[in-house]
Amino acid sequence: MDKPLEPACIFSERAQQLTSSAIREILKVTERPEVISFAGGLPAPGGFPVEVVRAAFDKVLATNGRAALQYGPTEGYAPLREWVAADLTRAGATVSADQILIVSGSQQALDLLGKVLIDKDSKVLVEDPSYLGALQSFSLYQPQFVPVPTDEGGLIPEAITPELAAGARALYALPNFQNPTGRTLNLERRKALVARAAALALPIIEDDPYGELRYAGEPQPGLLALGAKAGATVIRLGTFSKVLAPGLRLGYIAAPQAIIQKLVQAKQATDLHTPTLTQMAVYEIVKDGFLDEHLPAVREIYRRQGRCMLEAMEREFPAGVSWTQPEGGMFLWVTLPAHVDSSALLAEAIAQNVAFVPGAPFYAGKPQANTLRLSFATVPEDRIKAGIAILGKLLATHV
């Protein structure tokens, strides 16, 4: 067999720094139907409103097809921006459509923020552990990540000292059902966080993809709303991936206009604008209150499957293993005895057709190898029970 030709190009320093997502690599294994996968952070397909989405696309194409298939403004489809602003205002913030940028999923939002905020060696504060996709996106711009300690209550505001925050471009945080831990900041910590950010002139990037998936406990105000009262700069990221479907690739950024203007310029150089047809169809879906009717059933899927996993872990996992008790979202965070390496455990689990994500890649600071993330979102209850039983037996041989 002939040897493949090497590409006749020299990769940039930035390209040479690129690495594959640990989760995406694991997902290649989980494509086998016999594998019970707790690895992916994918929404439950049973929550996708297929017929409603189909009808919306049909209506847009039938009534306004030429405009839907044309180029659009970089900022996004005006009625959808107005809807997002009104939705955030109902939640306690005061936001205008001029403060909204529609993006191609919140992952693009992270990339755009990296472009406009981060220089090489810039300090960026992140929860420890934090969302792997954000670490991967920001890493392209070669920041200096500064881990902020967390505990069972999530991020610890008091840990953000003037020395820690000095010169930092932003703090990246997920206050609701955090990925990977499933933890949620309580009201006291939220108020303390925005007050500290205001005092230190530290912008907060509030990433909230899971906030609408609460199925227990009391809703908490967003950092965007609290930040306005405290005088803090909060950049909020939202997405339609978890409330409608990720295949739509539609999200938004809410921020002060000066920041939005820079993000618009960066997006113009990236993809000109988010697909007009998709924006118009999503607006058609949400404009008359569909999400209020749709989301209770979606939340029930996650509540039921999350409860099933927690009950199975109580039965099957040995003493010495602990885990979080999320009030919403899609994830559980498991802490093993200090001597157990979850990466080594993963190889044994995959050999028995069970997959999860080791915890180490989620740390910007020193990795804690004795942690792992489980997702219950796409796994039927019978397979949850079977997979947790297999994991429990494996753990019993290590603890």
Side-chain angles (χ1 to χ4, degrees), residues 49-72:
V50 176
E51 292 305 313
V52 172
V53 172
R54 180 196 58 76
F57 275 89
D58 286 349
K59 182 175 180 180
V60 168
L61 287 169
T63 60
N64 207 4
R66 287 182 172 79
L69 297 176
Q70 185 56 278
Y71 288 113

Side-chain angles (χ1 to χ4, degrees), residues 147-297:
V148 178
T150 61
D151 60 16
E152 290 306 308
L155 181 147
I156 303 170
E158 294 74 22
I160 305 175
T161 62
E163 296 74 22
L164 196 76
R169 299 295 174 86
L171 162 71
Y172 173 73
L174 296 95
N176 294 318
F177 325 126
Q178 193 239 24
N179 182 355
T181 66
R183 296 167 180 155
T184 297
L185 280 184
N186 63 28
L187 181 58
E188 182 180 358
R189 286 200 179 185
R190 289 172 190 243
K191 289 181 176 179
L193 176 59
V194 296
R196 188 159 294 244
L200 297 172
L202 175 66
I204 299 173
I205 299 172
E206 176 189 20
D207 197 356
D208 189 26
Y210 313 106
E212 293 289 350
L213 302 181
R214 175 178 285 278
Y215 43 78
E218 294 297 322
Q220 301 295 332
L223 300 183
L224 181 66
L226 293 174
K229 297 173 185 175
T233 297
V234 177
I235 302 165
R236 180 183 171 87
L237 314 186
T239 180
F240 291 95
S241 291
K242 309 304 186 295
V243 298
L244 289 176
L248 295 167
R249 305 312 305 132
L250 199 66
Y252 67 83
I253 305 174
Q257 280 184 262
I259 297 175
I260 291 293
Q261 288 170 2
K262 276 297 169 192
L263 291 166
V264 166
Q265 292 168 352
K267 185 170 169 63
Q268 286 171 350
T270 301
D271 64 354
L272 299 183
H273 65 88
T274 299
T276 308
L277 173 59
T278 304
Q279 293 185 72
M280 293 176 75
V282 167
Y283 175 69
E284 183 65 33
I285 293 168
V286 301
K287 66 183 177 69
D288 294 323
F290 171 75
L291 290 180
D292 292 336
E293 306 166 15
H294 172 63
L295 283 172

